[in-house]
Amino acid sequence: KIVVMGGDNYRIGMGGGAVSSVATGEFSNSIELNAIQRSNPEMQKRVANAIRAMSEMDKNPVISIHDHGAGGHLNCLSELVETTGGEIEVNKLPIGDPTLSEKEIIGNESQERMGLVISEEHYENLRKIAERERAPIYDVGVTTGDHKFTFVGRKGKNPIDWSLFDMFGSSPKTVLNDKTEEINFQDISYANSEIESYLDKVLQLEAVASKDWLTNKVDRSVSGKVAKQQTCGELQLPLNNVGVMALDYHSNKGVATSIGHAPVAGLIDPKAGSQLAIAEALTNIIWAPIEDNLAGISLSANWMWPSKNNGEDARLYNAVKAISDFACDLGINIPTGKDSLSMTQKYGDGTKVMSPGTVIISTVGEVTDINKVIEPALINQPGTKLIYIDFSRDNYKLGGSSFAQTLGNVGKEAPTISDPQYFKDAFKALQHAIDEREIMSGHDISSGGLLTALLEMCFPNKDTGLKLDLSELGEDLVAILFSEQPGVVVQVNDSRLQKRLTLSGILNYELGSVQNKPIVEIAFEEEELSFNVDTKRAIWYESSHLLELEQTNEVEAKTRKQNFDAQPLQYKFPDGFTGQLSNLSLPVPPEKKIAKAAIIREKGVNGDREMAYSLDLAGFKVKDVHMTDLTSGRETLEDIDMIVFVGGFSNSDVLGSAKGWAGAFKYNPKAKEALKKFYARENTLSLGVCNGCQLMMELDLLYPDSDQHPKMLHNDSGKFESAFVNMSIPDNNSVMLDDLAGTKLGIWVAHGEGKFNIQNIDAVNISGTYSHSAYPGNPNGSDYDVAALCSMDGRHLAMMPHLERSIRAWHWPYLPDGKGWECTPWLKAFTNAREWIESR
């Protein structure tokens, strides 16, 4: 069977093929609007859940699968049946717009749809799973074995009926004709006396400045597998070089990703821009220990180019060839990529603006141990050394640099990689040092140059500075400080790495040492420079603040600026806590698991897996319960000891604070009765997190007899908030949190409507508060800084932060004294719940 899952067909993307290949402004607005893609992530999640259920069976019954992208059904379904042929009935495809022609039905690019091939014997199982997940499913055709591709029309005439060979057997080659045009930019003039002025401008350039405005509004903890995201240090500033996801909840294996690009250097020399893009991506991913070193890394090359303009296709050819040659020299494959060759904007008055030709390199590699990933935040141990390692073996060229841009210039010469084999050797040496835990912290030299990298290593922590001497690096101090030639800076506490680098012929220089005052002091021959870290951090943050004002309520945006470096993370752990699972008498053997917990989820939730794992790790038997199980009567909760309403975005939050989810309980007799009977029992527990917390508030589950039940409101900031914050546990009688009283822990938040609105403080039982009253430490403006409330008898807990995404040591982006820890005190909350149930 040929099956389509997901949303309806609409007139979307019908201008896609044409519009993506021409300059914006070339066609009429109606055609260009037809090319715009819309997204429905909730639909995508529903479909993904159903497909995941099939893929996790002992034997995956899905024969082949393909997403819908460019070309819609025409592309997706033809590639599904490329080796067999197939027949699809147009009238079985879901129609959202009845005015669509057959061509538009077949070729539209509506999103969140999947096509798959599955045998008839397994189709009914998939249909039932899809129904449970509320994922639309359509049986639209069959494979034929005749190598023909047919869409059976609605009016007796087939709009498509041809041989697959005509589609896949003779793809035409694309030929671009162009000639090289020389571009000469001016050299840069500068003076050592202006270094501090240069630095202040560089730190405010968007490519260099803080990205807090961007990272604080995206969910950076979702899935509970995030091992390394953007922020680091006690101030949680977005400076990390590499992103790492755990491959599963049990092992230390992971997958690392990074990005590199050099558009301005590419203006000077497409070859240099290509090399620098790869080099930056690699000096970003290098901080994670990669399986098989460089050979274990794959690249994706995404081309963004103003093609069909004089000289640009010749530059594109040179850039592509340089990428290919450099990747081959390094022994790295580039199995995938994408191009957008229409980076030109035309205006009605004849004005034409071209984007700089750019290749964006993305990397991916398997991580051998997610606990060994290095961050740029300096460890504040005075006397530890900073080592500069050169990866380029080139002169300090300023072309294409952020420094050049601040002078309104591009520069004449861009840095290059003079010896690919040398780059490989340097990469391998650093990877070995990371695997052997010889490196305390490290940062790459990219946007802003060496001076920016050094300051950024000081920014994430308070009272951290450097005392350096750069005299050995060269003769031109400005070039040394601002050149963006590939290299890295590492912090070490002994000389092992330096000795090995020197023996291997890798250029390395001892720059100086760490000091515990926020000053970066630099000596260079007869010159001495001094930079106040707190002052430069504020300048670096300024551009982020200006962008924050465009997306956040003005009061909160200004408060964030005041407090971004004034609320460092600080912890107080329970007495006797060792961070070891054995400290909590874990793991519990499967045969001794007695307590039964159920994950209650609705369409669109995204916190079910990590919550299930937390409960399982704590010794529960865990059951997955979808709302459709309750509304249909398949599940009654009669044998369940604890229920957990998980986080996410049920009903896309369009109805606000889980009102849509609450309606499924309020207005469905079977679900309502199951919940009522569960809460009537005196030996049950419940937990609601994030969206689940909103649900408990909406259903008045904590204080059912109160006419002043707390409610959840939109964050005061007016936007979604993602952060790792301090949470304090006061004296309380909560089953889960009572023995954590007096602690101060770190925890993830990720929500848009997390403000507790409390009318009567005497009518609630506060079980957790944000440690700071001011934003962003209190990320939503909750009354009384409330982060968690509990029923008066201590059995039912509702909290906005995600404790289930904070149970592993590697979940915490700042845990200075937690080396070797397997878990955090949040896991104790789950074991407390299990032990309470077992005692009854």
Side-chain angles (χ1 to χ4, degrees):
K1 285 183 177 293
I2 301 172
V3 176
V4 171
M5 299 183 69
D8 293 346
N9 291 284
Y10 292 95
R11 191 173 285 107
I12 293 173
M14 292 309 297
V19 172
S20 66
S21 300
V22 301
T24 305
E26 189 84 13
F27 291 151
S28 67
N29 283 344
S30 61
I31 293 178
E32 290 182 358
L33 286 173
N34 256 351
I36 293 174
Q37 304 296 323
R38 289 83 155 176
S39 64
N40 181 356
E42 185 194 278
M43 176 67 75
Q44 190 171 24
K45 183 70 163 61
R46 286 188 252 169
V47 172
N49 283 346
I51 292 170
R52 184 171 63 183
M54 304 299 283
S55 70
E56 291 180 347
M57 294 172 67
D58 290 338
K59 185 176 181 181
N60 185 355
V62 177
I63 297 168
S64 59
I65 189 167
H66 201 331
D67 68 305
H68 280 66
H73 299 301
L74 178 62
N75 178 61
C76 172
L77 301 184
S78 65
E79 292 189 9
L80 274 179
V81 301
E82 183 178 351
T83 59
T84 63
E87 187 175 274
I88 296 100
E89 297 183 44
V90 175
N91 64 359
K92 288 187 175 181
L93 296 170
I95 307 299
D97 180 352
T99 68
L100 294 183
S101 67
E102 289 186 335
K103 178 182 78 171
E104 291 170 323
I105 293 170
I106 294 168
N108 77 85
E109 296 174 1
S110 300
Q111 300 293 289
E112 283 75 48
R113 300 178 300 180
M114 300 294 290
L116 54 94
V117 174
I118 191 168
S119 62
E120 189 165 1
E121 63 180 302
H122 295 295
Y123 173 74
E124 184 59 22
N125 190 32
L126 174 60
R127 188 195 63 76
K128 289 179 179 178
I129 291 172
E131 183 182 71
R132 180 175 186 254
E133 298 290 345
R134 293 201 180 103
I137 182 171
Y138 306 95
D139 172 10
V140 300
V142 295
T143 58
T144 57
D146 61 4
H147 297 281
K148 291 184 65 178
F149 186 53
T150 305
F151 275 89
V152 178
R154 296 179 292 186
K155 300 177 181 178
K157 185 177 180 181
N158 298 338
I160 289 178
D161 192 352
W162 55 41
S163 166
L164 283 168
F165 179 81
D166 294 331
M167 295 186 72
F168 300 113
S170 56
S171 299
K173 290 184 177 180
T174 299
V175 177
L176 301 175
N177 292 297
D178 199 11
K179 63 180 181 180
T180 299
E181 290 197 352
E182 294 294 332
I183 301 178
N184 289 305
F185 295 102
Q186 294 179 347
D187 237 339
I188 306 168
S189 59
Y190 47 82
N192 285 10
S193 59
E194 298 295 318
I195 285 176
E196 183 142 12
S197 173
Y198 297 151
L199 173 62
D200 290 350
K201 292 175 183 177
V202 166
L203 290 176
Q204 294 177 79
L205 197 67
E206 187 184 2
V208 178
S210 171
K211 309 301 185 296
D212 178 65
W213 69 275
L214 184 61
T215 59
N216 67 44
K217 63 180 181 180
V218 291
D219 193 339
R220 293 178 285 121
S221 60
V222 64
S223 79
K225 294 181 181 178
V226 180
K228 195 67 63 183
Q229 40 69 58
Q230 292 94 332
T231 58
C232 63
E234 62 184 346
L235 297 179
Q236 285 298 282
L237 299 181
L239 284 164
N240 274 333
N241 299 299
V242 60
V244 179
M245 296 290 289
L247 286 179
D248 56 51
Y249 295 110
H250 299 278
S251 75
N252 290 330
K253 299 287 186 180
V255 59
T257 59
S258 69
I259 290 177
H261 74 321
V264 185
L267 281 175
I268 301 170
D269 179 359
K271 177 182 177 181
S274 296
Q275 282 190 341
L276 291 174
I278 290 181
E280 182 184 19
L282 293 177
T283 54
N284 276 321
I285 200 173
I286 198 172
W287 306 107
I290 302 297
E291 185 77 42
D292 295 330
N293 211 277
L294 265 178
I297 297 174
S298 290
L299 307 183
S300 173
N302 288 7
W303 302 98
M304 319 294 287
W305 218 271
S307 192
K308 300 178 184 176
N309 289 291
N310 291 343
E312 287 298 333
D313 288 337
R315 288 166 53 78
L316 174 60
Y317 173 84
N318 289 331
V320 174
K321 187 176 187 306
I323 286 284
S324 177
D325 291 344
F326 191 41
C328 288
D329 289 338
L330 294 176
I332 302 180
N333 65 351
I334 309 181
T336 185
K338 184 183 182 297
D339 66 75
S340 184
L341 304 184
S342 59
M343 303 301 289
T344 305
Q345 171 74 49
K346 290 184 177 179
Y347 295 92
D349 62 359
T351 303
K352 181 168 67 174
V353 178
M354 298 186 296
S355 171
T358 306
V359 57
I360 300 172
I361 296 293
S362 306
T363 70
V364 62
E366 184 180 340
V367 179
T368 58
D369 188 343
I370 57 179
N371 296 297
K372 291 183 177 180
V373 180
I374 299 297
E375 294 183 346
L378 287 170
I379 308 301
N380 195 349
Q381 292 184 13
T384 52
K385 300 176 184 178
L386 251 67
I387 310 300
Y388 165 60
I389 306 169
D390 179 14
F391 272 61
S392 69
R393 260 188 162 168
D394 195 11
N395 297 323
Y396 298 104
K397 297 171 181 174
L398 290 168
S401 65
S402 299
F403 169 69
Q405 290 182 66
T406 62
L407 298 179
N409 210 326
V410 173
K412 199 169 187 65
E413 284 189 283
T416 59
I417 312 297
S418 63
D419 184 350
Q421 183 59 49
Y422 171 84
F423 188 99
K424 288 178 67 174
D425 293 342
F427 190 98
K428 184 177 180 180
L430 203 59
Q431 279 278 290
H432 176 79
I434 291 169
D435 194 52
E436 294 296 315
R437 298 187 184 274
E438 295 175 358
I439 295 175
M440 303 169 67
S441 67
H443 201 10
D444 74 310
I445 297 164
S446 55
S447 299
L450 176 61
L451 180 53
T452 293
L454 294 169
L455 284 166
E456 286 180 340
M457 294 178 78
C458 300
F459 286 166
N461 293 325
K462 302 287 283 184
D463 300 322
T464 304
L466 297 167
K467 190 174 184 64
L468 310 171
D469 189 331
L470 308 185
S471 301
E472 285 189 36
L473 296 188
E475 298 177 355
D476 187 335
L477 181 56
V478 171
I480 291 169
L481 294 178
F482 294 107
S483 172
E484 296 175 6
Q485 71 175 46
V488 301
V489 178
V490 298
Q491 180 189 11
V492 296
N493 60 9
D494 58 41
S495 58
R496 286 178 295 168
L497 175 59
Q498 269 185 286
K499 288 178 180 177
R500 194 166 58 253
L501 291 172
T502 302
L503 287 172
S504 302
I506 307 300
L507 298 175
N508 67 94
Y509 305 89
E510 183 176 324
L511 302 182
S513 59
V514 175
Q515 58 182 357
N516 57 3
K517 61 178 181 179
I519 304 291
V520 172
E521 299 172 281
I522 296 177
F524 181 79
E525 296 177 350
E526 302 301 320
E527 295 190 54
E528 291 186 358
L529 302 172
S530 180
F531 305 104
N532 184 287
V533 172
D534 295 337
T535 301
K536 298 310 175 188
R537 187 195 294 118
I539 293 171
W540 172 79
Y541 187 81
E542 180 63 26
S543 296
S544 177
H545 168 65
L546 296 175
L547 289 161
E548 188 76 42
L549 285 168
E550 300 297 321
Q551 65 182 17
T552 303
N553 288 341
E554 184 176 358
V555 172
E556 277 66 38
K558 290 181 177 179
T559 304
R560 189 180 198 96
K561 180 183 178 181
Q562 293 169 3
N563 293 328
F564 86 97
D565 60 352
Q567 298 174 337
L569 290 168
Q570 296 174 332
Y571 305 130
K572 183 180 179 184
F573 298 116
D575 292 339
F577 184 77
T578 65
Q580 303 304 306
L581 291 174
S582 58
N583 185 230
L584 300 177
S585 300
L586 298 176
V588 176
E591 66 274 9
K592 291 189 177 182
K593 289 186 176 182
I594 300 170
K596 296 179 181 178
I599 301 293
I600 311 294
R601 63 184 176 93
E602 176 61 299
K603 64 179 186 292
V605 303
N606 58 25
D608 48 311
R609 288 273 168 135
E610 54 266 45
M611 184 65 77
Y613 170 68
S614 299
L615 290 162
D616 176 76
L617 182 62
F620 281 90
K621 289 182 178 180
V622 189
K623 189 174 187 178
D624 176 53
V625 177
H626 196 285
M627 282 302 297
T628 54
D629 298 326
L630 292 169
T631 58
S632 67
R634 287 190 298 263
E635 175 61 57
T636 63
L637 305 178
E638 291 176 357
D639 65 336
I640 300 299
D641 302 305
M642 180 178 182
I643 59 175
V644 183
F645 305 106
V646 293
F649 298 94
S650 62
N651 296 289
S652 298
D653 269 3
V654 292
L655 300 175
S657 293
K659 287 183 172 61
W661 191 358
F665 277 110
K666 288 180 177 180
Y667 306 118
N668 185 280
K670 293 179 179 177
K672 185 176 183 179
E673 184 67 14
L675 197 66
K676 180 181 178 182
K677 288 183 177 179
F678 178 86
Y679 276 92
R681 291 156 49 197
E682 294 185 357
N683 61 345
T684 60
L685 301 177
S686 66
L687 169 66
V689 172
C690 192
N691 208 237
C693 172
Q694 295 171 354
L695 177 70
M696 293 182 78
M697 297 298 108
E698 195 63 33
L699 292 175
D700 296 343
L701 292 178
L702 292 189
Y703 316 109
D705 300 325
S706 173
D707 59 358
Q708 295 181 320
H709 200 286
K711 298 296 181 185
M712 306 305 301
L713 304 178
H714 283 280
N715 299 340
D716 282 352
S717 64
K719 66 173 176 51
F720 184 91
E721 294 285 344
S722 174
F724 190 77
V725 300
N726 266 142
M727 181 172 163
S728 300
I729 312 296
D731 289 335
N732 66 92
N733 69 334
S734 162
V735 169
M736 295 185 72
L737 301 179
D738 62 348
D739 68 351
L740 291 177
T743 63
K744 187 177 182 181
L745 307 176
I747 196 166
W748 278 106
V749 295
H751 57 254
E753 295 169 295
K755 179 177 181 176
F756 280 93
N757 178 230
I758 299 172
Q759 301 175 46
N760 183 358
I761 188 63
D762 297 323
V764 299
N765 178 11
I766 297 176
S767 299
T769 61
Y770 298 110
S771 302
H772 296 279
S773 295
Y775 179 76
N778 178 340
N780 44 54
S782 283
D783 295 342
Y784 307 100
D785 307 323
V786 169
L789 291 177
C790 194
S791 60
M792 292 303 182
D793 61 6
R795 292 165 46 209
H796 308 297
L797 177 65
M799 58 188 296
M800 188 49 54
H802 287 272
L803 77 168
E804 80 285 7
R805 298 181 186 175
S806 310
I807 64 166
R808 285 293 204 181
W810 49 262
H811 281 145
W812 288 32
Y814 177 69
L815 188 58
D817 300 318
K819 281 187 170 37
W821 278 21
E822 297 175 306
C823 61
T824 72
W826 290 117
L827 187 57
K828 191 170 175 55
F830 291 101
T831 60
N832 289 342
R834 189 203 81 226
E835 291 168 356
W836 185 91
I837 291 168
E838 290 173 347
S839 71
R840 282 153 179 76

